[in-house]
Amino acid sequence: MKHQTEARGKFASKAGVVLATAGSAVGLGNIWRFPYETGMNGGAAFILIYLLCLIALGLPAMLCEFVVGRRAQRNATRAYGGWPWKLTGCLGVLTGFLIMGFYSVVAGWTLQYIFASVAGQLHGDVDYIRQYFNDFVANPWKSVFWTVFFILLTHVIITRGVQRGIERASKVMMPLLFLLLLLLVVCALLLPGSSEGVKFLLRPDFSKVSADTVFDALGQTFFSLSTGMACLVTYASYFDRDVHLVRSGVQIAVIDTMVAVLAGLIIFPAAFAVGVQPDAGPSLIFITLPNVFGQAFAAVPVVGWLMSIIFYILLMLAALTSIISMHETPTAFVAEEFHLSRRIAALLVTLPAMVVGVLSSLSLGSVPSLRLFGMTLFDSLDYITANVLLTLGGLLTLLYVGWVMPRGDVHEQISNGGRLRARYFPVFMFLVRYISPICMALIFLHQLGAF
Ligand code: TRP
């Protein structure tokens, strides 16, 4: 029992806190999901709604997880006291597993696409690339191999611990990610005809906005900030007492949004430059984009080739720092609750995660009978987590901090024990008690098909 507290990791620096947590937030959600949601929902109109959701719901929810985690200094299942709130942490650990089950598959695709780009296999028209993608996904070996490989990569970083594994990896990967991102933005903006893409991103088209757009934006805010599965509770349990929660939260939200918008500034200018419609949906990045890079830089093929490699490396880095955070939540739980070493605990998470990942990968092609609720296993994991479990987890966390946790305890965390002025505290509490849970409950009912 004694070694339990000794063994608890801690982020060593404030920069580490922001980079690791931003690493969790910045992921496929920013570079894959955000652009296609924006593309389908009226460009800047969607971004505006997204920003409103971020302020009303995303940021408060993120801060609530920070409050719960840092106060507890324990794994997610111990961070919420009393019934039924304890379930929130347990639900989070389970959700982490399930998200990893489909996230690792898409993450694995990025590795395949890095190699395919290097080997120059992504040349051809859209039909050729669609065929390439479909063949790859249906191939039982390749896609499974990359899924397993990606989980193992995560495993290696996790076993090194909070400071030497997660923090150090984030401190290397996040700056690299920004650098690559900026490089690609510059390249994309230099393309002739790219201004159409920029206009699309900056000029709101409210005719495409419907009630669904608002729900999509709310769901996207939540997924993008990594809220709803106690992942940030776990990370915050490694924060030092003097970490300014609100400031860090705002910084992370700004980084997360910037990366998403910059990803849009790569994808839309490139797509418009070659006359591809930006509303292709989820396949935008793996089917439309390779072709876009090739065509856009037909004059200087080397640039197109390099851009495509850099883009998939960027996507891989983003996915890796996010999967690490999903893995850490169950790992911290297993290690602390069963008094196991980090190495063994990580293994006990990695092995079942691989099983789920492999099954969901297979469900897309070679074993189509792997279905759940009338969808492929892959789609149902995505659907259940993003639409049901994250919303439920987020709602429970908001209610817990707003109504169950003593107000003084919340204030203590937000103000670092009274050392910060925290003048916005009443506004924060108002959002957490009323506005955010009402939005959350509405999304939840919407996801369940109530209206
Ligand atoms: N936020 C990440 C993204 O945008 C994904 C992610 C990491 C996540 N950890 C999470 C989503 C926890 C929900 C909950 O891709």
Side-chain angles (χ1 to χ4, degrees):
M1 285 295 272
K2 254 188 286 152
H3 68 265
Q4 195 178 318
T5 34
E6 280 167 28
R8 262 203 89 74
K10 210 167 208 89
F11 291 124
S13 63
K14 287 182 188 149
V17 162
V18 173
L19 288 177
T21 315
S24 168
V26 172
L28 297 172
N30 303 63
I31 305 177
W32 168 59
R33 222 161 174 263
F34 184 85
Y36 83 69
E37 293 271 7
T38 308
M40 297 194 304
N41 285 306
F46 180 79
I47 299 181
L48 275 178
I49 297 172
Y50 178 86
L51 289 178
L52 288 179
C53 297
L54 188 76
I55 294 167
L57 184 66
L59 201 54
M62 175 183 234
L63 293 176
C64 284
E65 290 204 16
F66 284 175
V67 166
V68 173
R70 191 175 63 177
R71 173 173 174 255
Q73 304 276 314
R74 298 283 201 92
N75 76 79
T77 62
R78 292 281 168 130
Y80 299 78
W83 278 95
W85 311 103
K86 265 181 117 48
L87 276 181
T88 318
C90 305
L91 195 72
V93 169
L94 175 76
T95 312
F97 254 111
L98 301 180
I99 299 188
M100 257 196 289
F102 73 91
Y103 207 89
S104 59
V105 176
V106 183
W109 294 348
T110 66
L111 292 171
Q112 164 80 17
Y113 269 62
I114 294 174
F115 286 97
S117 304
V118 172
Q121 290 168 358
L122 298 176
H123 283 306
D125 56 10
V126 174
D127 288 333
Y128 164 78
I129 294 183
R130 178 170 296 119
Q131 192 60 35
Y132 178 90
F133 179 73
N134 291 342
D135 287 349
F136 162 59
V137 169
N139 181 314
W141 299 110
K142 276 194 192 162
S143 159
V144 165
F145 172 80
W146 289 121
T147 304
V148 169
F149 188 91
F150 209 93
I151 297 179
L152 283 177
L153 203 60
T154 312
H155 177 85
V156 170
I157 296 172
I158 288 285
T159 49
R160 289 177 178 224
V162 175
Q163 233 174 70
R164 289 182 49 239
I166 302 176
E167 184 169 353
R168 196 184 279 176
S170 310
K171 278 186 165 169
V172 175
M173 291 198 279
M174 291 306 285
L176 184 61
L177 184 143
F178 296 131
L179 200 74
L180 298 183
L181 192 70
L182 290 178
L183 195 71
L184 288 178
V185 172
V186 172
C187 280
L189 292 180
L190 287 177
L191 281 171
S194 65
S195 57
E196 280 308 306
V198 179
K199 272 191 215 141
F200 172 79
L201 204 63
L202 300 182
R203 193 192 295 144
D205 176 3
F206 283 101
S207 69
K208 294 245 176 70
V209 172
S210 64
D212 276 343
T213 312
V214 180
F215 287 113
D216 277 353
L218 282 165
Q220 172 62 18
T221 319
F222 236 63
F223 187 84
S224 191
L225 288 181
S226 303
T227 36
M229 61 147 273
C231 176
L232 300 177
V233 172
T234 310
Y235 267 28
S237 75
Y238 306 136
F239 289 4
D240 205 39
R241 275 183 30 220
D242 63 352
V243 170
H244 193 320
L245 295 186
V246 178
R247 186 189 295 154
S248 310
V250 170
Q251 284 168 348
I252 293 157
V254 169
I255 293 177
D256 190 60
T257 309
M258 255 173 37
V259 172
V261 173
L262 288 177
L265 274 181
I266 298 169
I267 292 165
F268 296 117
F272 277 91
V274 298
V276 165
Q277 280 304 309
D279 54 0
S283 64
L284 183 66
I285 266 190
F286 291 100
I287 295 177
T288 316
L289 211 59
N291 176 56
V292 164
F293 286 147
Q295 273 187 21
F297 292 98
V300 230
V302 179
V303 179
W305 176 75
L306 264 180
M307 245 184 119
S308 153
I309 298 173
I310 294 177
F311 182 80
Y312 291 107
I313 292 180
L314 173 75
L315 205 55
M316 188 275 284
L317 290 174
L320 186 55
T321 46
S322 294
I323 287 213
I324 289 173
S325 72
M326 290 170 206
H327 198 301
E328 179 59 23
T329 307
T331 300
F333 158 72
V334 174
E336 281 177 23
E337 296 307 305
F338 303 101
H339 310 304
L340 296 171
S341 72
R342 197 174 171 83
R343 205 167 271 281
I344 308 273
L347 199 64
L348 289 177
V349 173
T350 297
L351 293 176
M354 275 184 189
V355 174
V356 184
V358 166
L359 291 177
S360 87
S361 169
L362 289 175
S363 78
L364 286 178
S366 36
V367 192
S369 55
L370 282 167
R371 295 175 80 81
L372 205 64
F373 309 122
M375 291 176 263
T376 62
L377 182 63
F378 176 93
D379 286 331
S380 55
L381 288 176
D382 182 358
Y383 182 83
I384 296 167
T385 53
N387 293 330
V388 184
L389 295 177
L390 288 182
T391 326
L392 186 61
L395 180 59
L396 288 171
T397 301
L398 286 165
L399 292 176
Y400 181 72
V401 173
W403 299 94
V404 180
M405 197 187 269
R407 199 180 160 99
D409 286 19
V410 183
H411 187 265
E412 162 141 9
Q413 289 304 325
I414 294 288
S415 70
N416 284 357
R419 276 168 289 137
L420 305 171
R421 294 261 297 285
R423 261 173 303 170
Y424 36 74
F425 184 69
V427 181
F428 169 73
M429 278 317 273
F430 179 75
L431 285 173
V432 168
R433 294 190 117 192
Y434 304 101
I435 308 294
S436 314
I438 291 173
C439 293
M440 229 34 218
L442 285 175
I443 313 181
F444 191 53
L445 291 174
H446 172 79
Q447 314 287 30
L448 295 181
F451 46 84

